[in-house]
Amino acid sequence: MFALHKRRIKRKPRTSKEFIIALTLIVLAICIALTASLMSNRGASQAKPKAVIIDGLLHYPNETFVKEATSLLNSTGFEVDYIGGEKVTVDLYRRLPSLGYRIIILRVHCGPLVETLPNGTIVPGEDAILFTAEAYSPNKYRIYQRGQLARAVITGRPNELYFAVPPWFFDECAEGRFDDSIVILDSCYGFYSTSMAEAFIRRGAKVFIGWDGEVQAKHTDYAVLVLLKYLLIDRLTVDQAVKKVMDEVGPDPYHHSVMLFYPSSAGDYRLERLKR
């Protein structure tokens, strides 16, 4: 005899609509997140490099220089910020390495650091200081230790006192690091010694360009515009550009100071490498 068995048919479990909807939403969310991430990375990679003109050269305004320098930088792919007047402060110097500027033009007063003895004798030091446009007050910035700031006076204006920063301010008080920045000191005494240049290099700058003595404002402004042209338009190396400036513009006609750069190892550096 044969026994008859009923074949049991296994039914597939039903997939609920709720599960399908939830799965669809999860996949959609993942796609949106991936797309946003890709767009963000693409935007970051296309961000323009930044340059800044810090204009604290008191009593020597030059709007033509600012416009022409900005135009040169813009035309070669840089986004340019302008910081002038009372915004040139101790706090600006403190934050400067962290602000992400690839080209920094310091159109500020710079002079030798001197010590005045109790009997009034002035003893010149070996370092230079960068002026702010911030009026000096003995009760301000007490958070800084003695010697981390200086009191500065502009030649011919003995009653105008301003805060200034010595080279070691960038070592001891600044925050962040320069990102292989090109620093151009559009003013006097950048190379009174190499201490100011060395301070910027220690903080991450690639090269420091300035003058070895006193220079007239109109002369240095013109020389820096020519320098930017050679660096940005003609794409010369730092060494080639500085030499061409000295050939074309020449030393200061009155003070005979010359343009230099530091360190010498940066002589073959080209500014086009910054545009990444």
Side-chain angles (χ1 to χ4, degrees), residues 1 21 25 49 66 72 74 83 87 96 99 111 115 120 129-131 140 143 148 163-164 183 204 212 214 216 240 261:
M1 294 180 66
I21 293 172
L25 290 175
V66 173
L72 271 170
N74 284 156
I83 302 174
K87 294 182 179 180
L96 187 57
L99 298 180
E115 181 181 2
I129 52 175
L130 294 177
F131 288 38
K140 197 172 184 180
I143 59 171
Q148 289 178 327
F163 281 107
V183 181
D212 67 349
E214 194 168 351
Q216 298 171 89
Q240 291 169 338
F261 69 89

Side-chain angles (χ1 to χ4, degrees), residues 36-62:
S37 177
L38 289 172
M39 292 297 292
S40 176
N41 291 336
R42 183 180 179 184
S45 65
Q46 293 178 345
K48 291 183 178 181
K50 297 196 303 179
V52 64
I53 300 171
I54 298 176
D55 192 2
L57 200 58
L58 301 169
H59 314 298
Y60 298 96
N62 190 340

Side-chain angles (χ1 to χ4, degrees), residues 44-250:
S45 65
Q46 293 178 345
K48 291 183 178 181
K50 297 196 303 179
V52 64
I53 300 171
I54 298 176
D55 192 2
L57 200 58
L58 301 169
H59 314 298
Y60 298 96
N62 190 340
E63 292 184 7
T64 300
F65 166 80
V66 173
K67 289 179 180 179
E68 292 187 10
T70 300
S71 178
L72 271 170
L73 289 160
N74 284 156
S75 68
T76 50
F78 286 86
E79 178 183 328
V80 183
D81 289 339
Y82 174 82
I83 302 174
E86 296 179 354
K87 294 182 179 180
V88 183
T89 63
V90 170
D91 189 60
L92 173 63
Y93 285 129
R94 181 184 65 81
R95 295 183 296 109
L96 187 57
S98 68
L99 298 180
Y101 293 116
R102 309 304 305 280
I103 297 179
I104 299 170
I105 300 174
L106 292 170
R107 192 175 185 270
V108 299
H109 288 286
C110 181
L113 178 63
V114 300
E115 181 181 2
T116 303
L117 301 180
N119 63 4
T121 302
I122 296 177
V123 180
E126 298 179 354
D127 303 293
I129 52 175
L130 294 177
F131 288 38
T132 70
E134 188 173 8
Y136 174 79
S137 170
N139 297 318
K140 197 172 184 180
Y141 295 122
R142 291 190 173 185
I143 59 171
Y144 295 115
Q145 298 177 11
R146 186 175 181 180
Q148 289 178 327
L149 293 177
R151 182 178 62 180
V153 60
I154 299 173
T155 302
R157 298 176 182 270
N159 296 323
E160 296 182 19
L161 299 178
Y162 299 92
F163 281 107
V165 298
W168 50 89
F169 176 86
F170 294 97
D171 295 316
E172 300 173 5
C173 306
E175 64 180 34
R177 290 186 62 79
F178 297 109
D179 186 12
D180 278 345
S181 307
I182 307 302
V183 181
I184 302 171
L185 180 55
D186 183 15
S187 181
C188 309
Y189 293 112
F191 285 97
Y192 180 72
S193 70
T194 59
S195 60
M196 186 62 74
E198 290 169 354
F200 276 87
I201 300 304
R202 283 194 300 271
R203 205 73 191 184
K206 183 66 178 181
V207 64
F208 182 96
I209 302 172
W211 299 84
D212 67 349
E214 194 168 351
V215 61
Q216 298 171 89
K218 62 181 181 180
H219 187 80
T220 181
D221 283 344
Y222 176 58
V224 169
L225 287 175
V226 175
L227 176 70
L228 289 174
K229 173 186 174 295
Y230 284 136
L231 291 173
L232 295 168
I233 305 298
D234 297 343
R235 298 183 179 181
L236 300 184
T237 66
V238 170
D239 181 58
Q240 291 169 338
V242 170
K243 286 180 178 177
K244 291 278 282 185
V245 169
M246 286 293 91
D247 289 341
E248 180 177 333
V249 181

